[in-house]
Amino acid sequence: MFGKLFGFGKKEDPNVEKFESQDPDPSLGNFEVKWNSKYLTKRDYNTFTKEFEKRKWQEKSLMVGVYSEIFTNTFADWVEKEPNSYLAHLFKGANEVFLAWEARSGKFAKEVNDDQWQGFNDHLTKAEEHFNRSVELNPNEAETYARMIPMYMGLSDKEGVLATFNKAIALNPNHVVAHTYTLNALKEKWLGSKKEMYEFADNAIKRNDFPY
């Protein structure tokens, strides 16, 4: 188990994209996540889309989480070349959310300077545009709604967080990322309180007390 998590004990495959950080392995040892990255490296968007849509939701979610932090230029190129691809906008939206939090940094709000706040807000605005376009093109992808949650958290939009969470679980009641992001957004330091976090967890258990 630990070998998969930290990427030990496997021979390197020359056809598989190497991620910058291997400690721990951001793909959590998932071969499909590593393997399908080659299509993004080659900018073969058609094959990547076909492969992505064949995957289980857990693998899709892991791909979005991993790739959104790596392929910034690739996603910009994909959106430009295929503006009507819901998946291109989903990945670019997730990438913009990542870039927003990178621009803000992990500092306390009072320590974030004006330029960092500006970069944060600019990237979140771009993310919203891409996510909205993705939803227009395909309103039935739970992953899109899940990835919108930290965007709305950054915009201090609690209503947006809860609305997109409800849309995500309407399509996939067990979506881990949607639950995790919403629970995080309901922390007292963001948009909620301990009471709201407990209520959220209790309601999730009542909906499905053994989802896996």
Side-chain angles (χ1 to χ4, degrees):
M1 183 179 96
F2 290 104
K4 289 190 72 177
L5 177 60
F6 292 101
F8 302 144
K10 283 190 176 182
K11 293 182 179 179
E12 289 189 1
D13 187 324
N15 296 312
V16 175
E17 178 72 7
K18 292 182 179 179
F19 299 116
E20 291 182 10
S21 173
Q22 294 290 330
D23 187 20
D25 174 5
S27 70
L28 302 181
N30 187 294
F31 178 77
E32 295 295 342
V33 175
K34 289 185 174 182
W35 180 259
N36 287 296
S37 67
K38 69 180 181 179
Y39 300 118
L40 290 177
T41 301
K42 297 175 181 178
R43 301 196 175 186
D44 182 355
Y45 306 129
N46 185 50
T47 302
F48 177 79
T49 298
K50 291 178 181 178
E51 291 298 319
F52 180 89
E53 292 182 336
K54 290 192 298 187
R55 304 300 158 202
K56 296 178 180 179
W57 68 265
Q58 296 97 325
E59 290 178 331
K60 288 182 178 181
S61 197
L62 190 54
M63 285 183 190
V64 176
V66 172
Y67 299 159
S68 64
E69 298 184 11
I70 300 172
F71 293 102
T72 297
N73 294 332
T74 302
F75 295 141
D77 176 73
W78 190 3
V79 167
E80 182 179 356
K81 290 180 177 175
E82 298 184 14
N84 292 321
S85 166
Y86 86 92
L87 199 55
H89 288 285
L90 164 55
F91 273 98
K92 187 54 184 165
N95 173 246
E96 290 293 346
V97 172
F98 166 72
L99 294 175
W101 289 98
E102 285 288 290
R104 183 196 180 280
S105 79
K107 298 176 181 177
F108 290 109
K110 64 182 180 181
E111 298 173 352
V112 178
N113 63 43
D114 291 343
D115 288 340
Q116 289 173 311
W117 280 122
Q118 186 63 54
F120 181 62
N121 290 318
D122 287 347
H123 283 298
L124 290 180
T125 298
K126 292 177 182 177
E128 187 169 25
E129 292 172 356
H130 287 293
F131 284 138
N132 287 339
R133 181 58 178 150
S134 184
V135 168
E136 287 176 8
L137 293 164
N138 180 7
N140 298 313
E141 178 53 69
E143 190 66 28
T144 309
Y145 299 111
R147 296 293 166 175
M148 295 174 80
I149 293 168
M151 176 196 74
Y152 282 122
M153 185 182 83
L155 294 170
S156 299
D157 185 347
K158 185 175 182 179
E159 185 176 328
V161 166
L162 297 177
T164 48
F165 168 75
N166 287 328
K167 289 177 181 177
I169 65 167
L171 293 165
N172 181 351
N174 299 324
H175 202 291
V176 173
V177 170
H179 283 83
T180 303
Y181 280 155
T182 303
L183 187 63
N184 184 55
L186 291 175
K187 288 180 179 178
E188 190 171 355
K189 71 174 184 177
W190 296 117
L191 304 175
S193 64
K194 289 183 179 178
K195 180 175 181 293
E196 289 176 286
M197 291 178 72
Y198 283 119
E199 289 176 349
F200 175 79
D202 286 341
N203 288 333
I205 293 170
K206 289 176 183 176
R207 282 194 303 273
N208 193 345
D209 60 358
F210 191 71
Y212 305 108

